[in-house]
Amino acid sequence: MKKICFYFFISVLFFGLLFKIEYATDTYSVFNFDKQAIFNQYAMSGRFISAVVGKIVKTLNLSEQAIYLGSYVLAMTCAVFSQYLLYTIIEKNVENNIIRLIIPTLIIINPFSIELFLYIEKGIMWFGVLMCIVGVKSIVNYFETKKKKFILFAMILVFIANCSYQGIVGIFVSITLAFILKHSNSIKQFIINNFIVGSVYAVPAALDFLIMKLIFKTNRTNGQVVFIDSLKKILKYLIQMYVKMFNILPKYAFILLILFTFGVFCSKIWKEKKILHILKIMYLIIGISFLAVVPHFIQPTDSIWLVPRSTYSFASMYGIIFLYLEMNYEITGLLKKSIIAISCFFILFQAQKFIKIEKDRYILNKKDESIAMQIIEQINKYEKQTGKAITQVSIYEDEKPKFTYDGIFATGDMNIKCYSTDWSAIEILKYYSKKDLKLVEKDKEIELRFKNRNWDEFNFEQIIFKDNTINICNF
């Protein structure tokens, strides 16, 4: 019970501020959808659990606050038990009590985990993470007992995780890599273990993809895939992730952490001078990197877009390498104290960054709402004065549009203002006005009037009414 309370405290430290309702750009869309639209939206992405749950909550006509609170409580619960369950898995392999406690946090609540808490379906996303950790436990049980039922059980769990959110499934294999090394006493056994874990990962993913393509006939993965161009694009993203970590960590901090663990490793094996040990660490680094990006290869080349939530497992690398070192090498004295101190500092620094992101989230939402209410006020005035009902919206851009507001931390899709895209701008207006507005093509004449303007803040010059259409310029 003490361990669960500890991980609850850790989870509150990282995500406690988010108990109040907050909005991603697509949260407004989710709240605007009817039960069939929300089911189709998630099902066409292969996220069938979100589709079913979304349809149920819409059928029950739950309030937005109730939906958010339910999702938040589920996410927090799954985050706590994911850490606790991983603790129980590594308990007999890691001797030091403090290290046993912090490794699950380093792996589960890694720097990319914040984005999993910034969507309305956060509860389902974190449920997927929990299913992955239960899957790890099942595979470890197989390695220890050789009972094949655990392979099947793991495969079912990973399929459930895929149906929750595909971006988190890499965490299952990434953690398992350390146990593959531990339970491989020969090259033959190493190959067999990799094949088993690879199958547990690939078969559910392929099944989810086939259902998505064949039954729901999604066009999500339609488009041209040019492998060489995709490879270049993904490698560029991967390098940026190592260096910048989507700016969630300071530049080069992640590389320095990995080099630190690699240095600790080398200090333990230098006397043995066996290249096999070096290859094991490289196996972990390359394997975790590959698992984080490989799903993006099936996307059309032009649509490849890596963000923290879709590469979640990558940020667990430091924790997993740390786990592998503790499982296989005796680290004592000043070296052990240094690792613990650096890891605790890393956790506290990351928590401070998460709190900044979360505070900025609410500031962003307030600014988005304020602008929406000003636009709606102008719509109401126009309708009252002219007798014409506004039913259409057209969105334009000024000369230098921004994706967020000044002073707001934003990266990838995180903390992006609603007016940065056509589809999210109309959704927030529909949400606050309760009008069934339609997005229409730009008016060429009005587009020319907006083209060379550059606004730093919203003002009424960015609104032009024409018949039953409101034309709004993003800034």
Side-chain angles (χ1 to χ4, degrees), residues 18 44 100 147 169 192 202 272 312 345 366 381 460:
L18 296 172
M44 288 191 296
R100 270 205 307 265
K147 293 181 180 179
V169 180
I192 291 172
E272 299 180 39
Y312 166 66
F345 176 79
K366 198 66 181 174
K381 283 183 179 179
F460 297 129

PDB file of all heavy atoms in Angstrom, residues 18 44 100 147 169 192 202 272 312 345 366 381 460:
ATOM      1  N   LEU A  18      -4.035  19.164 -13.660  1.00  0.00           N
ATOM      2  CA  LEU A  18      -4.954  18.951 -14.784  1.00  0.00           C
ATOM      3  C   LEU A  18      -6.319  18.417 -14.367  1.00  0.00           C
ATOM      4  O   LEU A  18      -7.084  17.955 -15.215  1.00  0.00           O
ATOM      5  CB  LEU A  18      -4.319  17.995 -15.804  1.00  0.00           C
ATOM      6  CG  LEU A  18      -3.052  18.509 -16.494  1.00  0.00           C
ATOM      7  CD1 LEU A  18      -2.397  17.409 -17.323  1.00  0.00           C
ATOM      8  CD2 LEU A  18      -3.365  19.710 -17.376  1.00  0.00           C
ATOM      9  N   MET A  44     -12.134   4.791 -37.157  1.00  0.00           N
ATOM     10  CA  MET A  44     -11.373   4.919 -38.400  1.00  0.00           C
ATOM     11  C   MET A  44      -9.880   5.123 -38.154  1.00  0.00           C
ATOM     12  O   MET A  44      -9.083   5.054 -39.076  1.00  0.00           O
ATOM     13  CB  MET A  44     -11.941   6.056 -39.251  1.00  0.00           C
ATOM     14  CG  MET A  44     -13.289   5.737 -39.876  1.00  0.00           C
ATOM     15  SD  MET A  44     -13.813   6.955 -41.117  1.00  0.00           S
ATOM     16  CE  MET A  44     -13.975   8.419 -40.114  1.00  0.00           C
ATOM     17  N   ARG A 100      14.675   0.884  -6.974  1.00  0.00           N
ATOM     18  CA  ARG A 100      13.461   0.131  -7.328  1.00  0.00           C
ATOM     19  C   ARG A 100      12.265   1.062  -7.440  1.00  0.00           C
ATOM     20  O   ARG A 100      11.378   0.863  -8.268  1.00  0.00           O
ATOM     21  CB  ARG A 100      13.173  -0.940  -6.279  1.00  0.00           C
ATOM     22  CG  ARG A 100      13.810  -2.279  -6.552  1.00  0.00           C
ATOM     23  CD  ARG A 100      13.048  -3.407  -5.890  1.00  0.00           C
ATOM     24  NE  ARG A 100      12.827  -3.197  -4.478  1.00  0.00           N
ATOM     25  CZ  ARG A 100      13.614  -3.673  -3.500  1.00  0.00           C
ATOM     26  NH1 ARG A 100      14.691  -4.364  -3.808  1.00  0.00           N
ATOM     27  NH2 ARG A 100      13.322  -3.457  -2.247  1.00  0.00           N
ATOM     28  N   LYS A 147       5.738 -21.280 -19.998  1.00  0.00           N
ATOM     29  CA  LYS A 147       4.350 -21.643 -20.267  1.00  0.00           C
ATOM     30  C   LYS A 147       3.814 -20.767 -21.399  1.00  0.00           C
ATOM     31  O   LYS A 147       3.766 -19.539 -21.276  1.00  0.00           O
ATOM     32  CB  LYS A 147       3.495 -21.477 -19.007  1.00  0.00           C
ATOM     33  CG  LYS A 147       3.858 -22.461 -17.905  1.00  0.00           C
ATOM     34  CD  LYS A 147       2.967 -22.271 -16.674  1.00  0.00           C
ATOM     35  CE  LYS A 147       3.328 -23.261 -15.580  1.00  0.00           C
ATOM     36  NZ  LYS A 147       2.494 -23.066 -14.363  1.00  0.00           N
ATOM     37  N   VAL A 169       2.242   1.668 -27.647  1.00  0.00           N
ATOM     38  CA  VAL A 169       2.515   0.230 -27.610  1.00  0.00           C
ATOM     39  C   VAL A 169       4.010  -0.086 -27.623  1.00  0.00           C
ATOM     40  O   VAL A 169       4.433  -1.118 -27.109  1.00  0.00           O
ATOM     41  CB  VAL A 169       1.781  -0.487 -28.767  1.00  0.00           C
ATOM     42  CG1 VAL A 169       2.047  -1.985 -28.742  1.00  0.00           C
ATOM     43  CG2 VAL A 169       0.288  -0.227 -28.689  1.00  0.00           C
ATOM     44  N   ILE A 192      15.238 -16.545 -30.522  1.00  0.00           N
ATOM     45  CA  ILE A 192      13.890 -17.061 -30.237  1.00  0.00           C
ATOM     46  C   ILE A 192      13.096 -16.057 -29.398  1.00  0.00           C
ATOM     47  O   ILE A 192      11.924 -15.761 -29.683  1.00  0.00           O
ATOM     48  CB  ILE A 192      13.964 -18.429 -29.510  1.00  0.00           C
ATOM     49  CG1 ILE A 192      14.502 -19.501 -30.462  1.00  0.00           C
ATOM     50  CG2 ILE A 192      12.591 -18.829 -28.980  1.00  0.00           C
ATOM     51  CD1 ILE A 192      14.796 -20.822 -29.782  1.00  0.00           C
ATOM     52  N   ALA A 202       3.800  -7.431 -33.174  1.00  0.00           N
ATOM     53  CA  ALA A 202       3.403  -7.227 -34.569  1.00  0.00           C
ATOM     54  C   ALA A 202       2.015  -7.776 -34.895  1.00  0.00           C
ATOM     55  O   ALA A 202       1.264  -7.146 -35.640  1.00  0.00           O
ATOM     56  CB  ALA A 202       4.441  -7.854 -35.495  1.00  0.00           C
ATOM     57  N   GLU A 272      36.714  -6.748 -18.393  1.00  0.00           N
ATOM     58  CA  GLU A 272      36.390  -7.961 -19.138  1.00  0.00           C
ATOM     59  C   GLU A 272      36.717  -7.850 -20.620  1.00  0.00           C
ATOM     60  O   GLU A 272      36.959  -8.841 -21.295  1.00  0.00           O
ATOM     61  CB  GLU A 272      34.901  -8.297 -18.963  1.00  0.00           C
ATOM     62  CG  GLU A 272      34.533  -8.547 -17.504  1.00  0.00           C
ATOM     63  CD  GLU A 272      33.062  -8.873 -17.342  1.00  0.00           C
ATOM     64  OE1 GLU A 272      32.511  -9.586 -18.192  1.00  0.00           O
ATOM     65  OE2 GLU A 272      32.462  -8.392 -16.363  1.00  0.00           O
ATOM     66  N   TYR A 312       6.157   7.937 -27.524  1.00  0.00           N
ATOM     67  CA  TYR A 312       6.202   7.856 -26.057  1.00  0.00           C
ATOM     68  C   TYR A 312       7.325   6.964 -25.541  1.00  0.00           C
ATOM     69  O   TYR A 312       8.045   7.313 -24.601  1.00  0.00           O
ATOM     70  CB  TYR A 312       4.834   7.368 -25.565  1.00  0.00           C
ATOM     71  CG  TYR A 312       4.771   6.908 -24.136  1.00  0.00           C
ATOM     72  CD1 TYR A 312       4.970   7.798 -23.084  1.00  0.00           C
ATOM     73  CD2 TYR A 312       4.491   5.572 -23.829  1.00  0.00           C
ATOM     74  CE1 TYR A 312       4.898   7.370 -21.758  1.00  0.00           C
ATOM     75  CE2 TYR A 312       4.414   5.138 -22.521  1.00  0.00           C
ATOM     76  CZ  TYR A 312       4.626   6.038 -21.484  1.00  0.00           C
ATOM     77  OH  TYR A 312       4.556   5.614 -20.178  1.00  0.00           O
ATOM     78  N   PHE A 345      17.092  14.375  -9.522  1.00  0.00           N
ATOM     79  CA  PHE A 345      17.116  15.726 -10.088  1.00  0.00           C
ATOM     80  C   PHE A 345      16.367  15.761 -11.413  1.00  0.00           C
ATOM     81  O   PHE A 345      15.607  16.700 -11.681  1.00  0.00           O
ATOM     82  CB  PHE A 345      18.562  16.184 -10.296  1.00  0.00           C
ATOM     83  CG  PHE A 345      18.675  17.524 -10.974  1.00  0.00           C
ATOM     84  CD1 PHE A 345      18.474  18.699 -10.263  1.00  0.00           C
ATOM     85  CD2 PHE A 345      18.953  17.615 -12.328  1.00  0.00           C
ATOM     86  CE1 PHE A 345      18.555  19.941 -10.887  1.00  0.00           C
ATOM     87  CE2 PHE A 345      19.042  18.846 -12.970  1.00  0.00           C
ATOM     88  CZ  PHE A 345      18.845  20.014 -12.244  1.00  0.00           C
ATOM     89  N   LYS A 366      -7.969  29.873 -21.970  1.00  0.00           N
ATOM     90  CA  LYS A 366      -8.682  31.102 -21.616  1.00  0.00           C
ATOM     91  C   LYS A 366      -8.608  32.120 -22.753  1.00  0.00           C
ATOM     92  O   LYS A 366      -9.598  32.792 -23.064  1.00  0.00           O
ATOM     93  CB  LYS A 366      -8.090  31.699 -20.333  1.00  0.00           C
ATOM     94  CG  LYS A 366      -8.998  32.702 -19.637  1.00  0.00           C
ATOM     95  CD  LYS A 366     -10.252  32.010 -19.113  1.00  0.00           C
ATOM     96  CE  LYS A 366     -11.179  33.006 -18.441  1.00  0.00           C
ATOM     97  NZ  LYS A 366     -12.462  32.384 -18.053  1.00  0.00           N
ATOM     98  N   LYS A 381     -24.440  40.643 -32.745  1.00  0.00           N
ATOM     99  CA  LYS A 381     -24.729  42.035 -33.125  1.00  0.00           C
ATOM    100  C   LYS A 381     -25.104  42.127 -34.594  1.00  0.00           C
ATOM    101  O   LYS A 381     -26.062  42.813 -34.974  1.00  0.00           O
ATOM    102  CB  LYS A 381     -23.512  42.926 -32.841  1.00  0.00           C
ATOM    103  CG  LYS A 381     -23.312  43.278 -31.390  1.00  0.00           C
ATOM    104  CD  LYS A 381     -22.122  44.215 -31.228  1.00  0.00           C
ATOM    105  CE  LYS A 381     -21.908  44.600 -29.772  1.00  0.00           C
ATOM    106  NZ  LYS A 381     -20.725  45.494 -29.615  1.00  0.00           N
ATOM    107  N   PHE A 460     -11.029  43.502 -33.896  1.00  0.00           N
ATOM    108  CA  PHE A 460     -12.204  43.342 -34.746  1.00  0.00           C
ATOM    109  C   PHE A 460     -11.948  43.628 -36.215  1.00  0.00           C
ATOM    110  O   PHE A 460     -12.808  43.380 -37.061  1.00  0.00           O
ATOM    111  CB  PHE A 460     -13.356  44.194 -34.216  1.00  0.00           C
ATOM    112  CG  PHE A 460     -13.809  43.775 -32.854  1.00  0.00           C
ATOM    113  CD1 PHE A 460     -13.946  44.695 -31.827  1.00  0.00           C
ATOM    114  CD2 PHE A 460     -14.071  42.439 -32.588  1.00  0.00           C
ATOM    115  CE1 PHE A 460     -14.352  44.299 -30.568  1.00  0.00           C
ATOM    116  CE2 PHE A 460     -14.482  42.026 -31.331  1.00  0.00           C
ATOM    117  CZ  PHE A 460     -14.619  42.956 -30.308  1.00  0.00           C
TER     118      PHE A 460
END
